[in-house]
């Protein structure tokens, strides 16, 4: 995989660090805004990236890039991913995949038409702890409750309280808690149980109508799933599946949990201890494998989950009365 990276934020630095051990991936170019050129040059120097661009269309003409990683503000994901696919590139797009369901559906259709790979960069399905949950799920018996809590007070929240709206809390830029931190909880539930029968989202809305925290509830046959997310307060994070024979628990945020354990009246058992700490290495290694093996079925199968996630996100957002720029 010959990778071109778009963006220069924290997630891009994490990506550049985590692809180092993967011999099948080489990063050949970086694209940043003109205003961020100095920061981009620092990244390029640190990670030995040969070329840096401030013009995205020019960046897309490079023949030594076959895959574009998009790590920029959420509201631009659709536009940048579509341009890359039209240019004949494979695309890795950070979460949230898009803002609207129709945007996601269009990108998936375009990728298939162009015979290109398209991936949502969500590390959860590739983590050892999550795989341990899937493998041991039958041990809990009949499922009764699913609970997830990912609460982490944002470093931008103090500015928000002073009514300085940065992208993380800007509805015109597809910000807020649901499309960011609570999305990992949603991925956890949907990856295990599929499409819910119904969705509700009760959100704490700030002065500009964005959700700073909230609780999403989903109904399945025989059980309920509750996803709590917060960017305005902290608490211990976890994921839990409860059944009438026991429960499985992830310690920490579901996307970067420290371990998975099974608990019953007879005692507890450590199922897995993922030492990667939420690393992007596993997902990027899998993307490189799919590309090398031309494993389009695996890629397109995961896109089915991505599309379902987008459907639920839009339903939940509108249930809470959150208005994004795409709604205007």
């Amino acid at each position: 995989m010959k990778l071109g990276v778009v963006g220069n934020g924290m997630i891009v630095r994490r990506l550049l660090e985590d692809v180092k051990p993967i011999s099948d991936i080489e990063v050949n170019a970086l694209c940043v805004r003109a205003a961020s050129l100095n920061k981009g040059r620092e990244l390029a120097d640190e990670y030995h990236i040969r070329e840096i661009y401030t013009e995205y269309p020019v960046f897309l003409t490079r023949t030594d890039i076959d895959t574009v990683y998009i790590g920029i503000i959420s509201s631009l994901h659709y536009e940048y991913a579509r341009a890359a696919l039209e240019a004949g590139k494979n695309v890795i797009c950070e979460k949230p995949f898009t803002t609207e369901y129709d945007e996601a559906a269009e990108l998936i259709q375009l990728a298939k038409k162009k015979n290109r790979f398209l991936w949502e960069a969500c590390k959860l399905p590739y983590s050892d702890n999550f795989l341990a949950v899937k493998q041991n799920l039958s041990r809990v018996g009949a499922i009764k409750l699913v609970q997830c809590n990912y609460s982490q007070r944002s470093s931008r929240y103090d500015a928000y309280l002073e009514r300085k709206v940065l992208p993380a809390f800007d509805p015109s830029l597809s910000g807020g808690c649901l499309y960011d931190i609570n999305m990992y909880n949603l991925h956890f539930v949907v990856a295990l149980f599929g499409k819910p029968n119904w969705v509700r989202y009760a959100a704490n809305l700030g002065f500009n109508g964005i959700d700073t925290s909230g609780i999403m509830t989903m109904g399945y046959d025989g059980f309920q799933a509750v996803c709590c997310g917060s960017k305005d307060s902290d608490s211990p994070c976890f994921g839990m599946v409860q059944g009438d024979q026991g429960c499985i628990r992830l310690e920490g945020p579901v996307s970067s949990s420290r371990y998975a354990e099974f608990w019953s009246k007879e005692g507890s058992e450590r199922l897995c201890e993922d030492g990667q700490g939420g690393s992007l290495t596993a997902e990027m290694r899998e993307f490189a494998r799919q590309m090398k093996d031309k494993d389009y079925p695996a890629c397109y199968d995961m896109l089915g989950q991505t599309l379902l996630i987008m459907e639920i996100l839009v339903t939940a957002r509108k249930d809470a009365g959150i208005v994004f720029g795409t709604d205007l």
Side-chain angles (χ1 to χ4, degrees), residues 171 178 201-203 205-206 208-211 313-324 327:
L178 176 63
Y201 185 47
L205 302 181
N208 63 345
I210 201 64
D211 55 322
L313 283 176
V314 173
T315 299
R317 173 170 65 84
K318 292 186 176 181
D319 183 60
I322 300 164
V323 178
F324 278 173
D327 298 318

Coordinates of all heavy atoms in Angstrom, one line a residue, residues 171 178 201-203 205-206 208-211 313-324 327:
P171 N -21.8 22.4 15.2 CA -22.8 21.6 14.4 C -22.7 21.8 12.9 O -23.0 20.9 12.2 CB -24.2 22.1 14.9 CG -23.9 23.4 15.6 CD -22.5 23.4 16.1
L178 N -22.1 12.5 19.9 CA -22.7 11.3 19.2 C -21.8 10.9 18.0 O -21.4 9.7 17.9 CB -24.1 11.6 18.7 CG -24.7 10.5 17.9 CD1 -24.9 9.2 18.7 CD2 -26.1 10.9 17.3
Y201 N -32.3 8.8 21.2 CA -31.1 9.5 21.6 C -31.5 10.7 22.5 O -32.2 11.7 22.0 CB -30.2 10.0 20.5 CG -28.9 10.7 20.9 CD1 -28.1 10.0 21.9 CD2 -28.5 11.9 20.4 CE1 -26.9 10.6 22.3 CE2 -27.3 12.4 20.8 CZ -26.5 11.8 21.7 OH -25.3 12.4 22.1
A202 N -31.2 10.7 23.8 CA -31.5 11.7 24.7 C -30.2 12.5 25.0 O -29.3 11.9 25.6 CB -32.1 11.2 26.1
A203 N -30.1 13.7 24.5 CA -28.8 14.4 24.5 C -28.9 15.7 25.4 O -29.9 16.3 25.6 CB -28.5 14.8 23.1
L205 N -27.9 19.2 25.3 CA -27.5 20.1 24.2 C -27.0 21.4 24.8 O -27.5 22.0 25.8 CB -28.8 20.4 23.4 CG -29.4 19.2 22.7 CD1 -30.6 19.7 21.9 CD2 -28.5 18.4 21.9
G206 N -25.9 21.9 24.2 CA -25.3 23.2 24.6 C -25.9 24.4 24.0 O -27.0 24.2 23.3
N208 N -25.4 26.2 21.5 CA -25.5 26.2 20.0 C -26.2 25.0 19.5 O -26.2 24.7 18.3 CB -24.1 26.4 19.4 CG -23.2 25.2 19.6 OD1 -23.5 24.4 20.5 ND2 -22.1 25.1 18.9
G209 N -26.8 24.2 20.3 CA -27.6 23.0 19.9 C -26.8 21.8 19.7 O -27.4 20.8 19.2
I210 N -25.5 21.8 20.0 CA -24.7 20.6 19.8 C -24.8 19.7 21.1 O -25.0 20.2 22.2 CB -23.2 20.9 19.5 CG1 -22.5 19.7 18.9 CG2 -22.5 21.3 20.8 CD1 -23.1 19.4 17.5
D211 N -24.7 18.4 20.9 CA -24.7 17.5 22.0 C -23.3 17.4 22.7 O -22.4 16.9 22.1 CB -25.2 16.1 21.6 CG -24.4 15.5 20.5 OD1 -24.0 16.2 19.6 OD2 -24.2 14.3 20.5
L313 N -26.9 6.7 13.2 CA -26.4 8.0 13.6 C -27.4 9.1 13.2 O -27.7 10.0 14.0 CB -25.0 8.3 13.1 CG -23.8 7.6 13.7 CD1 -22.6 7.9 13.0 CD2 -23.7 8.1 15.2
V314 N -27.8 9.1 12.0 CA -28.7 10.1 11.5 C -30.0 10.0 12.2 O -30.6 11.0 12.6 CB -28.9 9.9 9.9 CG1 -30.0 10.9 9.4 CG2 -27.6 10.2 9.2
T315 N -30.5 8.8 12.4 CA -31.8 8.6 13.1 C -31.7 9.2 14.5 O -32.6 9.9 15.0 CB -32.2 7.1 13.2 OG1 -32.4 6.6 11.9 CG2 -33.5 6.9 14.0
A316 N -30.6 8.9 15.2 CA -30.4 9.3 16.6 C -30.2 10.8 16.7 O -30.8 11.5 17.5 CB -29.2 8.6 17.2
R317 N -29.5 11.4 15.8 CA -29.2 12.8 15.8 C -30.5 13.6 15.6 O -30.8 14.6 16.3 CB -28.2 13.2 14.7 CG -28.1 14.6 14.4 CD -26.9 14.9 13.5 NE -27.1 14.5 12.1 CZ -27.8 15.1 11.2 NH1 -28.3 16.3 11.5 NH2 -27.9 14.6 10.0
K318 N -31.3 13.1 14.7 CA -32.6 13.8 14.4 C -33.6 13.6 15.5 O -34.4 14.5 15.8 CB -33.2 13.4 13.0 CG -32.3 13.8 11.9 CD -32.9 13.5 10.5 CE -32.0 14.1 9.4 NZ -32.5 13.9 8.1
D319 N -33.5 12.5 16.2 CA -34.4 12.2 17.3 C -34.1 13.2 18.5 O -35.0 13.6 19.2 CB -34.2 10.8 17.9 CG -35.1 10.5 19.0 OD1 -36.3 10.5 18.8 OD2 -34.6 10.2 20.1
A320 N -32.8 13.6 18.6 CA -32.5 14.6 19.6 C -32.6 16.0 19.2 O -32.4 17.0 19.9 CB -31.0 14.3 20.0
G321 N -33.0 16.3 17.9 CA -33.2 17.6 17.4 C -31.9 18.3 17.1 O -31.8 19.6 17.1
I322 N -30.8 17.6 16.8 CA -29.5 18.2 16.5 C -29.5 18.5 15.0 O -29.7 17.7 14.2 CB -28.4 17.3 16.9 CG1 -28.4 16.9 18.4 CG2 -27.0 17.9 16.5 CD1 -27.5 15.8 18.8
V323 N -29.2 19.8 14.7 CA -29.2 20.3 13.3 C -27.8 20.5 12.9 O -27.0 21.3 13.5 CB -30.0 21.6 13.2 CG1 -30.0 22.1 11.7 CG2 -31.4 21.3 13.6
F324 N -27.4 19.8 11.8 CA -26.0 20.0 11.2 C -26.1 20.9 10.0 O -27.2 21.2 9.5 CB -25.5 18.6 10.8 CG -24.8 17.8 11.9 CD1 -24.4 16.5 11.7 CD2 -24.6 18.4 13.2 CE1 -23.8 15.8 12.7 CE2 -24.0 17.6 14.2 CZ -23.6 16.3 13.9
D327 N -28.2 19.9 7.0 CA -29.6 19.9 7.2 C -30.2 21.2 6.7 O -31.4 21.4 6.6 CB -30.1 19.7 8.6 CG -29.7 18.3 9.2 OD1 -29.8 17.4 8.4 OD2 -29.2 18.3 10.3

